[in-house]
Amino acid sequence: MQLTNIFSNLALNFQLELLHTVLLIPSIVFLRWLWLRFYFYRHPNLELEFKRRAIVMSRNFSLLVGVIALAAVWATQLQHFALSMVALAAATVLATKELIMCLLGSMMRMITNQYSIGDYVEISNIRGRVVDINMFNTLVIQTGTNNQLGDLSGKTVSFPNSLLLSVPLSRDNVIGKYVVHTFEIPVPIRLDSDAIVPRLEWVLRDYCARYVLDIAQYFEEVKMQKMFVTPAADPTISRMPRDNSMYCLVVRFASPLSKRLMIQQAILDEFIRIQYLLMTNDE
């Protein structure tokens, strides 16, 4: 009789947990849909990238809440199962090590805010713009064959979030909507840098003049609010020796993220014109 009561209670508990699960999942999906509708209604002119970011964030948050809620609902059953299947649980942990590391990497990304949708990142020889993030991997649109140019190639590649636990990640726009961009120009040693640098500096300052004051003010605000060491906003061109046949011009400037490639290309175009004139005169 007592054994019958025990089995009857277990069956009743199982039915209640199953009912809670059936009600819980549609509720989370409905609440996510309702929040997105309300958010987009309150912000009708939101840009596509921010809409995409809101969709991804709400999806990941709903998934996290769902996992925690289901774990709470089925806690008793999971406890009984874990006690009776210790060996199997240990084997499962070993078999799902990579999956667990992906989840830990995802949690670390959310806690530290390492990157988000729209950021340019580089990790383990993968460089591109982040377009999707989930609990297990991150999807980026790769840059072209020349990483220095930064043009998007249209090809996508994903990397597991477990890489965040073991591999350094670089992010271009860590300061926010502005970026400090640096690139190098190799120059033959026989070309006089005094004939090149002043003209490049003139072009660089002309392009950056419209942004430099706003960027300097923004950097100062970030420095005061977040106690974050910010770089200088003024554009510079430095000269660095490389070897007996070449030296480098290191171009550094601050600009809006969307304008950095345009400014870089303007500098490169001007350098090619100057190089052609100097090499023609030498002949």
Side-chain angles (χ1 to χ4, degrees), residues 89-104:
T92 302
V93 169
L94 292 175
T96 59
K97 177 183 176 183
E98 186 64 26
L99 185 64
I100 295 172
M101 290 182 66
C102 287
L103 291 173
L104 291 175

Side-chain angles (χ1 to χ4, degrees), residues 142-242:
Q142 284 185 296
T143 54
T145 55
N146 191 328
N147 286 334
Q148 185 164 293
L149 293 179
D151 293 325
L152 299 178
S153 66
K155 297 180 180 179
T156 59
V157 62
S158 63
F159 61 87
N161 292 338
S162 59
L163 287 180
L164 300 175
L165 301 174
S166 58
V167 179
L169 178 137
S170 63
R171 171 183 162 197
D172 287 0
N173 54 326
V174 67
I175 305 174
K177 58 184 177 179
Y178 297 113
V179 62
V180 177
H181 187 56
T182 303
F183 67 97
E184 295 184 357
I185 304 176
V187 187
I189 197 70
R190 62 192 179 90
L191 298 185
D192 185 6
S193 63
D194 289 336
I196 302 174
V197 173
R199 292 177 60 178
L200 295 184
E201 285 180 335
W202 184 85
V203 174
L204 180 61
R205 293 183 185 279
D206 181 58
Y207 272 92
C208 295
R210 70 198 76 175
Y211 311 118
V212 66
L213 292 179
D214 292 338
I215 294 175
Q217 182 179 357
Y218 177 80
F219 282 0
E220 189 63 27
E221 291 174 357
V222 171
K223 182 178 179 180
M224 297 300 295
Q225 292 175 3
K226 299 184 178 181
M227 304 300 289
F228 192 83
V229 178
T230 54
D234 294 328
T236 60
I237 299 179
S238 305
R239 313 174 207 202
M240 295 289 294
R242 175 176 286 184

